[in-house]
Amino acid sequence: METNKKWYVIHTYSGYENKVMANLERKVKSMGMEDMVSRILVPMEDEVDMKDGQKRTVKRKVFPGYVLVEMEVNDRSWYVVRNTPGVTGFVGSATKPIPLEPDEVKRILKSQGMDNESRPHISVEVGEQVRITSGPFENFIAVITEINEEKGTLKGLIDMFGRETSVEVDYSQIEKSLE
């Protein structure tokens, strides 16, 4: 049912991004619209700040004045978002919001550690051998020791410099070994 959902950008009063996100999440829940509005995001990044000679890492908004929303646009969902306090409108034309391009979304989500691309599901088991197809360990054969479905990675042992070395690789970097 995810088919009609796209990511849109909402313009907010500057400094109200988190408040808008909280209000919208509350509104969507109270109106039972979770199926229409799935995710709301205020992209943040770490910035190193110098204050009184001390380095501090602070979170900074990547797009001040904007909130990203993954939603299915229809009259009801548009109205709910548009009438959330702090929202000044959608980015796009007044009546028809313009969705973000898929590659823009992928880049933003990846920067937030939220890759939403469906991970390749791979049917391998601990103890099985796989061939690493890319990266620094390309063409090595690894014996799987751990599988992390959530991250889409696995750990395995490779034979390097005459001894076993543990490596972590992404699902996309392996193929089943034909041995």
Side-chain angles (χ1 to χ4, degrees):
M1 211 181 111
E2 289 284 303
T3 50
N4 298 341
K5 285 196 187 132
K6 289 188 167 76
W7 282 91
Y8 296 89
V9 180
I10 307 171
H11 194 255
T12 69
Y13 294 123
S14 195
Y16 281 78
E17 303 86 354
N18 291 331
K19 191 173 268 178
V20 165
M21 182 169 78
N23 285 340
L24 194 51
E25 283 171 347
R26 209 170 19 255
K27 217 171 180 179
V28 164
K29 204 176 203 79
S30 72
M31 295 182 78
M33 292 177 64
E34 293 93 341
D35 57 330
M36 284 183 232
V37 180
S38 31
R39 293 188 282 177
I40 304 161
L41 177 66
V42 176
M44 304 290 269
E45 65 185 6
D46 288 336
E47 189 175 73
V48 177
D49 215 13
M50 285 297 283
K51 191 170 186 172
D52 304 328
Q54 299 288 313
K55 267 189 187 178
R56 290 185 327 162
T57 305
V58 292
K59 290 274 185 206
R60 186 179 72 77
K61 293 179 184 80
V62 181
F63 309 114
Y66 296 97
V67 175
L68 277 54
V69 181
E70 184 183 31
M71 63 185 283
E72 181 183 323
V73 172
N74 56 36
D75 291 346
R76 188 167 170 230
S77 64
W78 182 89
Y79 185 84
V80 165
V81 171
R82 189 65 191 82
N83 290 290
T84 298
V87 172
T88 57
F90 279 96
V91 171
S93 67
T95 52
K96 186 153 179 28
I98 297 171
L100 286 170
E101 292 295 322
D103 55 329
E104 291 175 310
V105 172
K106 200 183 266 183
R107 202 171 51 247
I108 293 168
L109 291 180
K110 193 176 182 84
S111 78
Q112 298 302 300
M114 297 171 57
D115 293 14
N116 79 333
E117 60 194 48
S118 52
R119 297 232 169 257
H121 179 72
I122 191 155
S123 55
V124 290
E125 293 172 17
V126 171
E128 206 172 327
Q129 286 191 342
V130 292
R131 191 174 79 78
I132 301 173
T133 57
S134 65
F137 307 107
E138 188 172 352
N139 293 324
F140 275 91
I141 299 292
V143 177
I144 301 171
T145 55
E146 194 180 308
I147 299 171
N148 185 332
E149 285 276 342
E150 207 171 281
K151 278 174 56 185
T153 61
L154 54 87
K155 285 186 179 162
L157 293 173
I158 60 171
D159 190 21
M160 191 171 177
F161 309 125
R163 59 189 223 204
E164 287 188 325
T165 304
S166 181
V167 296
E168 185 172 356
V169 291
D170 197 83
Y171 284 176
S172 63
Q173 293 178 283
I174 61 159
E175 67 182 19
K176 278 192 161 190
S177 180
L178 300 172
E179 291 178 25

